[in-house]
Amino acid sequence: MDSFVWDKDRKSRTGIAEAVFCNSKSDADLAAIIEYNILQKSSVLFTRMTTEQWQVLPSSFQEKLDYDQASRTAILNFVKPKEGSSDVCIVSAGTSDLAIAKEAQRTLAFNGYCAPIYADLGVAGLWRLIEKLDDIKQHKIVIALAGMEGALFSVLSGLVDMPVIAVPTSVGYGVSAGGQAALSSALASCSPGILTVNIDNGFGAANAAIKIMNVFTKG
């Protein structure tokens, strides 16, 4: 693959290592990237890797990758973070948001952060969120995911004192289909302190949290 150039200095430059976005990559190109990084003994995160892409990889490659079908992520040379207290947590409005929530969780894990997921805390059953508030408040950053009208972002941000990173998801139908309503809700919220990433961008939300945590670490 002549066009493949690995940005090996990205982590030292930006605090976040280069990841491989697998969507739309040919099987041959993806295999070449994996082979290159195996030879380099690199630790690499692969995102949006479909089951079909995983299944056609040589078995020797599959043995070296930690693949998670739910989040569509794979990690080469994965070192799991130590269990314990976590500075970041993930809150999802519904179980339909869990694929993106797990993408964020796996991205954080790849970078050394444990991040619990508090699932199914949408505002249609507000008591569920209230019951988990004390647990959520133990963290420094919360990544929140919601589809439909995205009400969770404003409600949660109005109840906690840490930054809320909003991830609108494409869960919904009618006017909420595709995540546009949730995105507009996050951007138009009257609750201050909400940072918003693109629709279904669990990877981007996790990296935003990591950059914030890197600043804490330097301090």
Side-chain angles (χ1 to χ4, degrees):
M1 186 175 58
D2 296 335
S3 60
F4 174 57
V5 179
W6 189 252
D7 188 0
K8 59 183 176 59
D9 298 321
R10 184 176 299 185
K11 187 169 185 177
S12 61
R13 188 175 71 249
T14 69
I16 299 169
E18 182 174 6
V20 177
F21 182 63
C22 300
N23 190 35
S24 300
K25 282 185 171 56
S26 70
D27 295 336
D29 284 350
L30 185 55
I33 292 170
I34 294 171
E35 182 178 27
Y36 170 85
N37 283 287
I38 289 174
L39 294 173
Q40 295 295 315
K41 299 181 180 179
S42 306
S43 295
V44 182
L45 171 66
F46 296 83
T47 66
R48 303 299 166 97
M49 181 183 286
T50 65
T51 304
E52 292 75 17
Q53 287 177 310
W54 164 255
Q55 289 174 339
V56 300
L57 289 174
S59 59
S60 60
F61 288 5
Q62 291 180 348
E63 291 170 2
K64 295 181 182 297
L65 289 167
D66 183 292
Y67 180 64
D68 180 71
Q69 184 176 2
S71 63
R72 293 181 295 166
T73 60
I75 301 176
L76 176 64
N77 296 324
F78 185 30
V79 178
K80 291 185 178 181
K82 294 180 180 179
E83 296 292 336
S85 60
S86 173
D87 292 322
V88 185
C89 73
I90 300 165
V91 176
S92 74
T95 53
S96 297
D97 304 310
L98 280 177
I100 306 303
K102 289 180 179 178
E103 179 184 72
Q105 185 183 51
R106 291 265 292 179
T107 302
L108 287 160
F110 172 72
N111 286 274
Y113 293 97
C114 286
I117 294 176
Y118 301 101
D120 205 20
L121 302 186
V123 299
L126 189 57
W127 58 270
R128 298 174 298 188
L129 176 61
I130 300 302
E131 283 189 346
K132 291 293 184 180
L133 265 183
D134 287 342
D135 294 330
I136 294 169
K137 288 179 179 179
Q138 299 305 308
H139 307 277
K140 293 179 180 178
I141 303 170
V142 57
I143 295 173
L145 302 97
M148 295 296 197
E149 82 288 14
L152 176 66
F153 308 133
S154 292
V155 173
L156 182 57
S157 181
L159 294 171
V160 299
D161 62 358
M162 73 276 273
V164 173
I165 302 175
V167 185
T169 66
S170 53
V171 174
Y173 49 87
V175 297
S176 62
Q180 291 294 330
L183 175 61
S184 294
S185 179
L187 293 173
S189 175
C190 66
S191 183
I194 297 177
L195 314 175
T196 304
V197 299
N198 208 346
I199 297 167
D200 289 341
N201 193 5
F203 170 78
N207 281 304
I210 291 163
K211 285 204 167 190
I212 295 171
M213 293 309 306
N214 285 345
V215 173
F216 289 157
T217 302
K218 288 178 183 177

